[in-house]
Amino acid sequence: MSKPVIATTSLAGCFGCHMSILDIDERILQLFDLVEFNKSPIDDIKKFTKPVDIGIIEGGCCNSENVEVLKDFRKNCKILISLGECAIMGGLPALRNGIPVEECLHEAYIGGPTVQLNTKHILPNDDELPMLLDKVYPCHEIVKIDYYLPGCPPRADLIWDALVALITGDPLKLPYELIKFD
Amino acid sequence: MSKKITIEPVTRVEGHGKVTIHMDNNGNVYQTRLHIVEFRGFERFVQGRPYWEAPVLVQRLCGICPVSHHLAAAKALDVIVGAGTGEGLTPTGEKMRRLMHYGQFFQSHALHFFHLSSPDFLLVSTATPPSET
């Protein structure tokens, strides 16, 4: 039997969830025995090269590129997991949802106390940049998500146990101590 | 024909990036650009929050170096609460922060070496399809 294939990505996240994946420490060697990685920052494969069994999404959607990547993951992955608060509910970036996006851009690039060099008051507006969305959206509002692993970040043991359960088909036991939100 | 090579995403940093390399008709590079494609708006949405939340909020700027952001926010709070720019810290407080900073430094270097750089250098033939990167 061929190994299950895993892909991961970070959308509007901070890579903290990916760091938590790496926090499984030496079990990462076991993980590489159990699965094969496809598109992921972990191996730097940038495009899907084969159908994927488990897609792991970190971060919600704050721009058009996030949405495209997420839809691409849904198309190529049998199972999608929202990993961490940002993917599950927008997380910290969703704090901007009550604020007009223009105000956020203005503060960051024009009006903020640490802005010094932008004398022409230019906002980022390059063709290469994705369009910002009006709000930060959790992944399940864009595509169907199969599983949710909470935490900011989710504990490494939680990620490990969940992946092993998914791969082996064993029931997942989640003790209370593993479900932490900070 | 002018040509553009796009490297996306750049995966060895936090702060989702993209690099475009622009070449002229003769294939010579005339411009290389780094695009920071992610904008989250921390500068604005931390405003109005309880001040003691700031160190924990800004940790989420970067999951690779959260402690550095935490300590930067703590320094800003020092000024706000009247502890000045360092001289108001207790010796124990300063030692704790130094310890945290060294811990971050150590963790960051270990991460970079063991998880980010080494696999690229050592396992490049198996980790990367030849058509990519």
Side-chain angles (χ1 to χ4, degrees):
Chain A
M1 200 179 94
S2 61
K3 288 181 189 177
V5 184
I6 286 188
T8 75
T9 191
S10 176
L11 306 176
C14 71
F15 270 96
C17 296
H18 274 78
M19 292 303 107
S20 208
I21 297 176
L22 296 181
D23 279 340
I24 62 176
D25 298 328
E26 69 277 8
R27 283 173 292 182
I28 195 151
L29 299 173
Q30 254 176 291
L31 188 62
F32 274 93
D33 282 339
L34 280 173
V35 303
E36 175 190 336
F37 275 85
N38 200 261
K39 178 180 161 72
S40 167
I42 292 172
D43 54 16
D44 202 31
I45 297 179
K46 297 184 191 303
K47 292 194 177 91
F48 285 104
T49 55
K50 57 161 70 173
V52 167
D53 297 292
I54 303 170
I56 299 175
I57 310 286
E58 166 192 335
C61 292
C62 77
N63 63 36
S64 56
E65 187 216 5
N66 295 153
V67 174
E68 283 162 29
V69 172
L70 181 58
K71 286 183 174 166
D72 192 33
F73 262 72
R74 183 68 274 180
K75 207 163 75 185
N76 287 282
C77 304
K78 275 186 222 144
I79 295 170
L80 267 196
I81 302 176
S82 271
L83 181 68
E85 297 307 328
C86 296
I88 294 174
M89 59 171 196
L92 199 69
L95 279 182
R96 84 159 159 89
N97 285 2
I99 303 165
V101 67
E102 296 80 10
E103 260 184 54
C104 295
L105 284 166
H106 187 274
E107 184 66 18
Y109 292 103
I110 297 173
T114 56
V115 179
Q116 290 175 354
L117 301 175
N118 191 6
T119 49
K120 290 182 182 162
H121 292 182
I122 298 167
L123 287 178
N125 187 25
D126 195 275
D127 288 343
E128 298 284 349
L129 296 175
M131 292 290 286
L132 275 178
L133 303 181
D134 60 333
K135 287 184 167 46
V136 179
Y137 294 90
C139 293
H140 68 266
E141 288 192 15
I142 310 283
V143 299
K144 176 176 173 283
I145 298 289
D146 302 289
Y147 296 102
Y148 300 85
L149 293 178
C152 184
R155 302 293 111 162
D157 288 337
L158 174 69
I159 298 169
W160 173 255
D161 288 356
L163 280 181
V164 169
L166 260 180
I167 293 162
T168 59
D170 291 340
L172 176 59
K173 293 192 194 79
L174 289 179
Y176 181 73
E177 305 80 64
L178 275 189
I179 312 287
K180 288 180 182 166
F181 295 90
D182 189 16
Chain B
M1 258 295 275
S2 62
K3 201 181 159 194
K4 182 177 84 177
I5 297 175
T6 304
I7 302 171
E8 185 185 24
V10 178
T11 52
R12 293 304 182 244
V13 293
E14 148 53 17
H16 308 50
K18 154 163 112 170
V19 173
T20 51
I21 303 168
H22 301 260
M23 290 180 290
D24 62 18
N25 296 341
N26 301 321
N28 296 318
V29 174
Y30 67 88
Q31 195 178 44
T32 300
R33 305 170 71 199
L34 168 67
H35 309 273
I36 305 299
V37 294
E38 189 182 27
F39 175 79
R40 286 173 295 170
F42 273 78
E43 298 86 350
R44 174 63 184 83
F45 70 62
V46 293
Q47 294 177 21
R49 309 290 308 175
Y51 70 87
W52 42 263
E53 276 186 3
V56 181
L57 293 179
V58 299
Q59 283 170 11
R60 271 69 187 172
L61 279 163
C62 173
I64 298 177
C65 59
V67 180
S68 307
H69 290 286
H70 179 110
L71 292 174
K75 279 178 89 169
L77 289 196
D78 290 344
V79 179
I80 292 171
V81 301
T85 49
E87 70 277 6
L89 270 186
T90 62
T92 313
E94 192 192 314
K95 280 179 189 145
M96 268 190 68
R97 290 193 195 180
R98 282 191 184 279
L99 200 58
M100 285 172 72
H101 181 62
Y102 295 147
Q104 167 75 71
F105 201 81
F106 186 59
Q107 186 262 358
S108 179
H109 278 64
L111 170 83
H112 189 258
F113 181 77
F114 289 108
H115 283 309
L116 303 184
S117 305
S118 303
D120 286 350
F121 293 134
L122 302 175
L123 311 170
V124 69
S125 57
T126 52
T128 316
S131 60
E132 297 295 324
T133 56

